[in-house]
Amino acid sequence: MTDKKDFVDIRHAQKSYGNLEVLKDISLTVERGQIVAIIGPSGSGKSTLLRAINDLDPLTKGEIWLDGVQVNKKLPHRQYEKHINEMRQQIGMVFQHFNLFPHMTARDNVSMAPKMLKGLSKEAADKLAEEQLDKVGMLERIDYYPSQLSGGQKQRVAIARALAMHPKLMLFDEATSALDPELVDEVNQVMKKLAEEDMTMIIVTHEMDFAASVCDRVLFMDQGVVVEEGPPEVLFKNPSKARTREFLGKHLGATK
Amino acid sequence: MDIDLMLKVYPFFLEAAGLTILLSILTAILGLFCGILGVAARLSRFAFIRFLGAAYVSVFRGTPALIQLFILYFGGPQIGIQLDAFEAGVIGLGVNAGAYMTETIRGAIISIDKGQREAARTLGLSNWQAMYKIILPQAARLMVRPLGVNLNMLIKATALVAAISVIELTYTAQRYIGSTYKPFEMFLLAGVLYMIIIYVVGRGVTWLDRKVQIT
């Protein structure tokens, strides 16, 4: 619809809770197929920004555009609900705490939304669930309940669940932060695979190594603003701002 | 203790217990209906409807059920509500139980992690779809036991309608005391029958609770 440059277009995003400004006039664009990591200390607003993209945490001011359509359009309640539900079908999201539906098997977690929202038959939805779970290496656990899976397995199912809606954009909100260290890699592998398939991804993460190896761009946020951004090799090796250096000094030291 | 007397009158008590059970069932159904309405009101996005829901709960939990029954049965005709004792009993107790059930159901719903709703909404489900497909199936499993407690209270509360002369178990006991002068035996018999009803219902609740848990 639009040229690929501003596939995701965030314009003057502002958010405040009372007097507390969490996002201070952030503007950024993401190209189709690009993978962007957002790093920063906790409380910097990075998760809030990510959750604003699908309007889970609505902005106080500013616009979010995806592929030429404004996500957070001002509409009367009913029309807005219809609009946002359509937009959200195009935006996959993966949470820190997985948020799998505990009363459904992996299969149903993945096939529920396509069945319900896209009118897929049971057979078609089953096939879709099998494909998506296979893609994340979880096919043999298809009939397991979330409580029977490890953290890494849960997160892979959660990724499959998001992918089953065939989203244009994937948002990852600290997808590996709640995992035991030895389970991080299996999730990272899945994310890498998605990156190779040219999925557009915005990733909030604490893992600098992963960001460095997968992302096209890294944004460093602090106190509600984007302090600095650039390709990972520049931002990690040669940051221009003192605040970025300070943050990376602590974190790169800690992860190595 | 006059066992012979108890054996002689117990068939009449059994019949009265039947009415207590019928009252309990009708009250539970009406209560559940009111509870669902109450929860819908309390979770509405309109402040005024939320207020109505909260007012319903605090009025009916904040006054004795007996007073509510008296207002309905004795006071009702004054404002044009004519109900026989049984109808007044079912409606009075049902609306009262609904206030408690509102809080039980609401408690179960709000105890579901907000991430569940977020995940559902993120996939594109509407608020209502998220509610019935994701939140309610999980909340329903959490509700079984506390609703069982509501049911237990409600069965015992049916004794109150004796005060508006519904011929259920408690009223029957009182009536037989009038002719036998044996309150100990009569109330004991009524008490035992209540306990049997409540024991059976309690077992049913436990069974259901086990059955609905996620494996």
Side-chain angles (χ1 to χ4, degrees), chain A residues 190-202:
Chain A
V190 171
M191 289 168 71
K192 264 190 190 141
K193 198 163 147 192
L194 276 183
E196 282 155 17
E197 293 169 10
D198 286 332
M199 175 63 82
T200 312
M201 296 158 73
I202 304 177

Side-chain angles (χ1 to χ4, degrees), chain A residues 130-198:
Chain A
E130 280 159 26
E131 280 165 21
Q132 298 301 334
L133 285 168
D134 191 27
K135 188 167 177 179
V136 299
M138 288 295 296
L139 188 56
E140 51 307 4
R141 299 285 157 105
I142 192 163
D143 289 314
Y144 283 49
Y145 282 91
S147 61
Q148 300 166 311
L149 303 174
S150 73
Q153 293 173 330
K154 283 182 197 168
Q155 196 60 298
R156 281 145 66 195
V157 173
I159 293 171
R161 175 176 70 178
L163 292 176
M165 293 301 284
H166 300 303
K168 292 178 175 170
L169 167 68
M170 284 287 286
L171 309 174
F172 292 86
D173 191 3
E174 300 194 20
T176 55
S177 297
L179 297 176
D180 292 338
E182 74 271 21
L183 302 177
V184 168
D185 197 52
E186 60 186 84
V187 174
N188 282 345
Q189 290 308 323
V190 171
M191 289 168 71
K192 264 190 190 141
K193 198 163 147 192
L194 276 183
E196 282 155 17
E197 293 169 10
D198 286 332

